[in-house]
Amino acid sequence: MNLKQLETFLWVAELQSFTRAAKHLYMSQPAVSFQIKSLEESLGATLFYRGDKKVELTEAGRLLYPEARQILRHFQKIKAGLDELKGLKRGHLCLGASTIPGEYLLPLLIGRFHRHYPGVEVTLRIAGSGQVIRWVREREIDLGITGAPVKEEGLECLPWYQDRLVLIVGVGHPWVDREAVSPDELLAQPLILREPGSGTRRSLEEKLAQVGRSLEEAQVVMELGSTRAVITAVQAGLGVSLVSALAAAEPLALGRVYQVNLKNMDLTRYLYLIHAPEWPGSFAAGAFWDFIKQEEWAGKQNKSNKKAPPTERPAP
Amino acid sequence: MNLKQLETFLWVAELQSFTRAAKHLYMSQPAVSFQIKSLEESLGATLFYRGDKKVELTEAGRLLYPEARQILRHFQKIKAGLDELKGLKRGHLCLGASTIPGEYLLPLLIGRFHRHYPGVEVTLRIAGSGQVIRWVREREIDLGITGAPVKEEGLECLPWYQDRLVLIVGVGHPWVDREAVSPDELLAQPLILREPGSGTRRSLEEKLAQVGRSLEEAQVVMELGSTRAVITAVQAGLGVSLVSALAAAEPLALGRVYQVNLKNMDLTRYLYLIHAPEWPGSFAAGAFWDFIKQEEWAGKQNKSNKKAPPTERPAP
DNA sequence: GCGAGGTGATCACCTTTGGTGAAAATCAGG
DNA sequence: CCTGATTTTCACCAAAGGTGATCACCTCGC
C-alpha cells in the first residue's frame, strides 16, 4: 500500500474509469490497472467491480475511499506547511545577543524583519557573550550577536556592525572642556569598567594593547555588570569610562555625560554574528541572515568605512 | 514523498539514529540514509541535523513529525477497517427476498447469522420476485431469494430450500373429510390465487402444466397481492387455494383452514438463491453464502430428499 | 596518543517495482 | 457484423530501492 496506489485509486473511483483516471494522471491505462491490482492484492480485497462501461466501488472500496482522501489531504497539508515555512508565512526565529546589540540594535532590526514576515515569530534572548556563544554551540539559537569575536571549531564568526567606544565623563569633570586626552591621562583617572569577559571590556583591552598599554596600569574603581550601570556611575562622577556609542547616545544627547576624544587610539569595535555553519537552522534564520546583509548599510551607522574589519580577534 | 520514506523518517526521529532505525526496520543503514535523503530532496528541506552521536530534528522535521505519525496511523486504520470487514466484525449484508422466504425463513436464518457475526448489519428487503431479481441485476442487494427461478445472462440461480404447495380449504368446506381430490375437482372449485408473476402462482402454473392442465380452465374468483390475504380469504370460505406450506403452517395448526391432498400431483417447489456471480459483493455476503450452505440441512425441513432439484426452470 | 567501536555518507552492484506500447478479450451500439 | 471503447495481459525496459563494502569522522577508554 503506497501513495501512488491510493492516488490512482481515488481518481479511478472519482472518474469511474481506469482510462479517464490514466489520462488525468498522465500515465498509461495499463499502469493504472497495475496499481489498482497491486493495491487490491496488498489489501486482500477487491476494490472495484469492473462492470460494462463503468467501474463501481465495492464495499471495501467504499470503506477505503474516504480514508484515502484524508490521507492525500494530509500529504497536501504537509506540503503546504513546508511551503509556508519556506515562504516565511510562519516559522520561528531564535536569536541570542549580548546586551549592547540586544538592547540597542536588534529590537529595531527585528521590528523591520517582522514587518516583512509577519507570520514569523521571533525570540530574542539577551545574555552575556559567553552564554550567547554557548547557545549557538548547543544549537539553542539560530544566530548569536555579540561584541566579542569567537574563534572556535565549528562556529563561524563574522564582523557585522561597526560600533565604537566613546570616552565619557561626568558633568563636573575637568575634561569637559578638553578637546582630547591621551592614553596616559586616561590611565591616571579613576576608571569604571564592565566585568571581565564582557564584549565591551574585551574591546577596550584590545584597543589598549594596540598602543602598548593595558588595564593593569589603570585605576579601576568599579566593575559593573551592565553598561547602563556604568553610565549611571559616570554620571554620578564616580569615574570615567569607555562604553559603546550606542549605549552612550542618549545620555550624551541629554547632557548627562560628556564625550572626550582619545588621542592616538582607534576606538572602532565590531559586533559579530555568530552561527554554526553546518547547522541548517530554521528557514527564518536564513531569511534573517539575508535580511541583515541587505540592511547592512542602513543599519550600520558607522562614520568611516575605510578599514576592513578584522575577521579574527588578534592574538593577545 | 512516500510511505516508506515517512515511516523511515518517523523511526529515525524516534530512535535518534539512522543505524537503530535501520535495525528496527530490518533494512541496511545505507537504505535508511537513502530514504531520508530522498524525502529531504522531495520536500526541499533538511529534516535532520546530523550531529555527533545523535541526530536531531530540524524545524522542518518537527513540522513533519506529527503529520507523518497521523498519516501512518491512518494507514493502520485502513488496514484495521479492512480486517474488521474481512473478519466480519463489521460490515453490511443486503438481502432481498420475496414474501414466502422473506417472511418465514430468512428472519430465522438472519437471526442465527447475526448471532455468529454480531457486528454485521443485515438489511432484508421484501418485494415481488421481479423486483428482487432486478435488485440483484442492479447490484443493489448481495443475494436474492425467490420462489421463481431465473434464467438470465449474468445471473446465477440455484435451488436452495425445498418447499411445497398445499391445497387448503375453509372449515366448512365439503372437502374437509376428503382424503384427496383430483386435479379435475380442483379446477372445478372457486380458486383464490396470488397475482400473475408471483413465485407461488408460477409454481402452481408449472405443476398444472406437468399434468397437462392450466389455470385457464380454473374458476379464479380472486387474485390477491399477499399469501396472508389468500389464506384469510380461504378461511372466510371464499374459495380454495394452493399456498406454500410455510405460510399455511400456522393457520393449519390452529384449525382455521384444512389441508387436502391432491392426487397425481407433485407439489414440491423450490426456493432459489439468486446472485450475480462476477459481482464481488460484500464480505458478509460471502460469509452468509457459506452460512446458509452449512445450515442447509438444518434449515431445510423437507420430508423427502429423493428428488434432485431442477437447476433450471423447465421450458413452458 | 592511539586503537576500538560506533556513527552516517558514499559507492558499485543487483533485485524489484513501475511504467510503456502492442495486442487480446469483452461488450454496447450502429 | 463491424466499430469504438473498455480493461486485461504480455514482453520489455527504466527507475527506484535495497545490499555489502568502504570511507571519514567522532568518542571513549586504555
Side-chain angles (χ1 to χ4, degrees):
Chain A
M1 179 157 49
N2 63 34
L3 247 202
K4 192 152 288 180
Q5 287 171 357
L6 282 191
E7 200 176 2
T8 310
F9 164 79
L10 273 184
W11 280 107
V12 172
E14 197 75 51
L15 303 174
Q16 299 200 321
S17 153
F18 283 52
T19 307
R20 282 197 291 279
K23 272 176 192 152
H24 186 274
L25 293 164
Y26 298 105
M27 53 198 227
S28 70
Q29 177 273 321
V32 172
S33 285
F34 177 73
Q35 294 287 3
I36 298 297
K37 199 174 146 196
S38 324
L39 183 58
E40 286 180 332
E41 275 170 9
S42 84
L43 294 177
T46 308
L47 296 171
F48 290 107
Y49 164 64
R50 281 83 158 165
D52 312 328
K53 284 290 187 187
K54 73 164 182 259
V55 293
E56 255 178 301
L57 286 174
T58 62
E59 181 185 36
R62 283 195 300 276
L63 179 114
L64 178 59
Y65 185 78
E67 306 291 332
R69 274 187 81 113
Q70 254 185 292
I71 288 181
L72 281 215
R73 202 182 310 261
H74 234 104
F75 271 88
Q76 286 167 358
K77 191 173 153 200
I78 289 179
K79 275 251 180 234
L82 276 170
D83 284 349
E84 278 192 352
L85 224 53
K86 285 189 274 192
L88 298 164
K89 298 253 192 312
R90 55 189 281 207
H92 195 108
L93 170 64
C94 200
L95 300 174
S98 52
T99 47
I100 296 297
E103 291 180 347
Y104 295 100
L105 289 177
L106 286 175
L108 308 172
L109 214 49
I110 290 172
R112 281 203 289 268
F113 182 76
H114 195 262
R115 259 200 302 287
H116 273 67
Y117 307 111
V120 177
E121 196 180 335
V122 183
T123 302
L124 171 62
R125 301 195 200 178
I126 298 181
S129 306
Q131 179 64 27
V132 170
I133 291 162
R134 207 167 311 124
W135 281 336
V136 175
R137 195 190 309 119
E138 306 292 331
R139 270 73 181 167
E140 292 205 32
I141 58 176
D142 290 313
L143 193 62
I145 300 100
T146 72
V150 207
K151 188 179 184 177
E152 183 176 317
E153 188 66 31
L155 292 187
E156 199 171 270
C157 175
L158 24 151
W160 163 60
Y161 182 87
Q162 186 175 18
D163 186 20
R164 68 200 157 77
L165 297 178
V166 297
L167 171 58
I168 53 172
V169 302
V171 289
H173 197 275
W175 286 356
V176 165
D177 298 325
R178 290 284 298 276
E179 178 83 19
V181 298
S182 67
D184 285 342
E185 286 175 294
L186 174 65
L187 290 172
Q189 282 283 320
L191 202 55
I192 300 168
L193 294 177
R194 287 288 302 280
E195 76 282 3
S198 77
T200 303
R201 175 149 175 177
R202 285 165 71 174
S203 298
L204 178 57
E205 288 167 347
E206 180 190 323
K207 298 307 175 190
L208 285 175
Q210 284 173 358
V211 292
R213 316 303 291 264
S214 135
L215 279 184
E216 307 285 332
E217 315 164 38
Q219 319 265 332
V220 179
V221 291
M222 277 192 264
E223 289 184 351
L224 298 174
S226 117
T227 300
R228 182 58 245 187
V230 170
I231 292 171
T232 303
V234 171
Q235 269 180 234
L238 302 177
V240 305
S241 186
L242 287 115
V243 299
S244 159
L246 291 166
E250 279 182 15
L252 283 171
L254 290 168
R256 302 264 167 81
V257 294
Y258 286 93
Q259 173 179 351
V260 181
N261 290 332
L262 202 47
K263 292 179 198 153
N264 304 324
M265 281 180 73
D266 171 23
L267 291 178
T268 59
R269 57 87 71 112
Y270 288 88
L271 301 179
Y272 296 86
L273 297 178
I274 299 165
H275 75 128
E278 80 265 31
W279 168 247
S282 67
F283 290 100
F288 189 72
W289 183 267
D290 296 341
F291 184 79
I292 60 181
K293 285 290 166 192
Q294 163 213 324
E295 296 257 330
E296 196 167 23
W297 306 114
K300 189 182 287 187
Q301 299 144 347
N302 59 335
K303 320 288 179 284
S304 67
N305 222 6
K306 36 202 168 184
K307 282 187 69 175
T311 300
E312 295 175 357
R313 175 178 165 216
Chain B
M1 182 158 41
N2 220 325
L3 244 206
K4 192 152 289 179
Q5 287 170 359
L6 282 191
E7 201 178 1
T8 310
F9 164 78
L10 273 185
W11 280 107
V12 173
E14 199 73 53
L15 303 174
Q16 299 199 320
S17 153
F18 282 53
T19 306
R20 282 197 292 276
K23 274 175 192 152
H24 185 275
L25 294 165
Y26 298 104
M27 52 198 233
S28 67
Q29 173 269 321
V32 172
S33 284
F34 178 73
Q35 294 288 3
I36 297 297
K37 199 173 146 196
S38 325
L39 184 58
E40 286 181 331
E41 276 170 9
S42 84
L43 293 176
T46 308
L47 296 172
F48 291 107
Y49 164 63
R50 281 84 158 163
D52 311 329
K53 281 291 187 186
K54 74 165 182 255
V55 294
E56 254 177 304
L57 286 173
T58 62
E59 181 184 38
R62 283 194 299 274
L63 179 115
L64 178 59
Y65 184 77
E67 306 291 333
R69 275 187 81 116
Q70 253 186 294
I71 287 182
L72 280 216
R73 203 181 310 259
H74 234 105
F75 272 87
Q76 286 167 357
K77 190 173 154 198
I78 289 179
K79 276 250 180 234
L82 275 171
D83 284 349
E84 280 193 351
L85 224 53
K86 285 188 276 192
L88 299 164
K89 297 249 192 314
R90 56 187 280 207
H92 195 107
L93 170 66
C94 201
L95 301 174
S98 51
T99 47
I100 295 297
E103 291 180 348
Y104 295 98
L105 288 177
L106 287 174
L108 308 172
L109 214 50
I110 290 172
R112 281 204 290 268
F113 182 75
H114 195 263
R115 260 201 301 287
H116 272 67
Y117 305 112
V120 177
E121 197 180 336
V122 183
T123 302
L124 170 63
R125 301 194 201 179
I126 298 181
S129 306
Q131 179 64 29
V132 170
I133 291 163
R134 206 168 312 125
W135 281 338
V136 175
R137 193 191 310 119
E138 305 292 331
R139 272 72 181 166
E140 292 207 30
I141 58 177
D142 291 313
L143 192 62
I145 300 98
T146 72
V150 208
K151 188 179 182 177
E152 184 175 316
E153 188 66 32
L155 292 187
E156 200 172 86
C157 175
L158 24 152
W160 163 61
Y161 182 86
Q162 187 176 17
D163 187 18
R164 67 198 158 80
L165 297 178
V166 297
L167 171 58
I168 54 173
V169 301
V171 287
H173 196 275
W175 287 356
V176 163
D177 297 324
R178 291 285 297 280
E179 179 83 20
V181 299
S182 67
D184 285 342
E185 286 174 291
L186 174 66
L187 291 171
Q189 282 284 319
L191 202 55
I192 300 167
L193 294 176
R194 288 286 304 278
E195 76 283 5
S198 75
T200 303
R201 175 151 177 174
R202 285 166 71 175
S203 299
L204 178 57
E205 288 167 348
E206 181 189 321
K207 298 308 176 191
L208 286 175
Q210 284 174 359
V211 291
R213 315 303 292 265
S214 133
L215 279 183
E216 306 285 331
E217 314 163 36
Q219 317 265 332
V220 179
V221 291
M222 275 192 265
E223 289 184 349
L224 298 174
S226 114
T227 299
R228 183 58 246 188
V230 170
I231 292 171
T232 302
V234 170
Q235 269 180 235
L238 301 176
V240 306
S241 187
L242 287 114
V243 298
S244 159
L246 290 166
E250 278 184 15
L252 282 171
L254 289 169
R256 302 267 166 79
V257 292
Y258 286 92
Q259 173 177 350
V260 182
N261 291 329
L262 202 46
K263 292 179 198 155
N264 304 324
M265 281 180 72
D266 171 24
L267 292 177
T268 60
R269 56 88 71 113
Y270 288 87
L271 301 180
Y272 297 86
L273 296 178
I274 298 165
H275 75 129
E278 78 265 32
W279 168 246
S282 67
F283 290 100
F288 189 72
W289 184 267
D290 296 340
F291 183 80
I292 59 181
K293 285 291 169 193
Q294 162 214 324
E295 296 257 331
E296 195 167 22
W297 306 114
K300 188 181 288 186
Q301 300 145 344
N302 58 336
K303 317 290 177 283
S304 67
N305 222 7
K306 34 199 169 186
K307 283 187 66 174
T311 300
E312 294 176 359
R313 179 180 163 214

